[in-house]
Amino acid sequence: MSFDLKIACIMVGLPARGKTYISQKVCRYLNWLGITTKVFNVGNYRRELHGSNLPHTFFDPHNSQGEQQRHEAAKAALEDLMQWLLDENQNNMVAIYDATNSTHKRRKWLHDTLTGKGVQVLFIESICQDESLVLANVRDVKLSSPDYRNMDPAKAAEDFTARIEHYKEQYETITENDYTYIKLINVGSQNVINLIKGYLESRIVYYVLNLHIQPRKIYFSRHGESQFNLNGKIGGDSCLSERGMRYAGMLPALIQNHLGRDQSLTVWTSTLRRTIQTAEALPYPKLQWKALDELDAGVCDGMTYEEIEERYPEDFANRDEDKYNYRYRGGESYRDVVLRLEPVIMELERHDNILIVGHQAILRCIYAYFMNYKQEDLPYIKIPLHTLIELTPRAYSCDEKRYGVDIEAVDTHRPKPTAPQRKLGVHTDAPPGASGEIVKDFTSPIVPISPLASKPKQPQIFLAADQHPNGHAKD
């Protein structure tokens, strides 16, 4: 994948077909991987230029003044998109143009303008013929938009339905066979893919194909307190402490009280003993993922932070300087873990209710994906022991609730240093596999340059009644 690669994803579809939902999800996914991505929503430009609370007649294709003003907003968004994407001082790689783009004429204008500047264009069309889904989207999302602020919900729904009818008058689905596109029909029940080129376009398409909009809950829980937690040691494959075993015993009731006893759930754990022991009493199907094993601390595995500071002072300072990019000697960085977790994220987007019983660093990375954290803040997210985190995905964000239990546990959170640390052993051009230093390349995203560079690890499948083998000795 060339670092000069620039891609514009152009959304296509009638209003209330999930275009903005897809745009925001793709943007969040790519930024999580270190691929700088930004959404340009034409509706925001239209509101800025011509105000909110415009009647549905503004969108009538026979309204020449409205047509001119909507094109003005589309042009302003495109100009900003190109300025941002082609900025030679930044490594911006993917821009998402969020609008209806519902005619051949509009798409040709966009395609020709962008390809003339050397930008690859990927059209993403969302078609939904299920009126119940459309009405649910109108009710849950569109009526809360700035266009209908302080308006009676019934009148707002009537106006927005009329707006959709105006767009239907001139809507033309993608039939341009020389364009690169993916067409999603009825929330993925049928998909059409045409002329996808290159690794990054393939990853975007694969991600979009895994999205679904059915209501669900995602639960995170660290393993119960372990013997290593009590001793202040990192890594290892220790068993649970007495308090950790008590938490494991309370976890089934905690889940059922908040999820509901009649709801299905799949439990994912790592291959390490402390997560397997924590999930043992849960009456649900279980899967073990090697990819969910804790961040590998390399030569520091099994040591306390005080021992690391004494034995490897430069490493200790480097990790405080840039915790996201620091790679342990013979181990991993948070950046490495994000790459390792990409197949897990894909599977999460495909599934319904999931509980991940995991480790602090792993859950930080997955939580950061759903809650849109910046890379520099990711390693300092608080994921306390003996706490159940519930995420409910919404159209543009996630609702979060945390449920604690009355079982004490040690606090393993290390806050972000307030004073700048002395930079030691910083290597911005370090070769792959380097360790004991801050490894980052500001010209490279986190994804591998070819699909062969990272093969997803397959989960091992166990039913709830099965006996679970002990995990590996290294995490």
Side-chain angles (χ1 to χ4, degrees), residues 160 216 219 222 297 321:
F160 193 80
R216 60 176 176 146
Y219 292 95
R222 286 178 67 183
E321 179 66 35

Side-chain angles (χ1 to χ4, degrees), residues 8 95 164 201 334 377 395 441 473:
I164 293 174
E201 283 187 2
Y334 271 93
D377 297 326
D441 181 349

Side-chain angles (χ1 to χ4, degrees), residues 77-95:
L78 181 61
E79 289 173 350
D80 281 357
L81 180 152
M82 290 193 296
Q83 182 179 5
W84 180 84
L85 192 58
L86 301 175
D87 187 345
E88 296 180 354
N89 298 319
Q90 302 293 328
N91 189 35
N92 302 328
M93 295 186 68
V94 178

Side-chain angles (χ1 to χ4, degrees), residues 106-119:
R106 172 61 60 86
R107 292 193 291 270
K108 184 178 188 314
W109 168 64
L110 290 167
H111 181 271
D112 292 352
T113 302
L114 289 162
T115 55
K117 297 291 185 179
V119 177

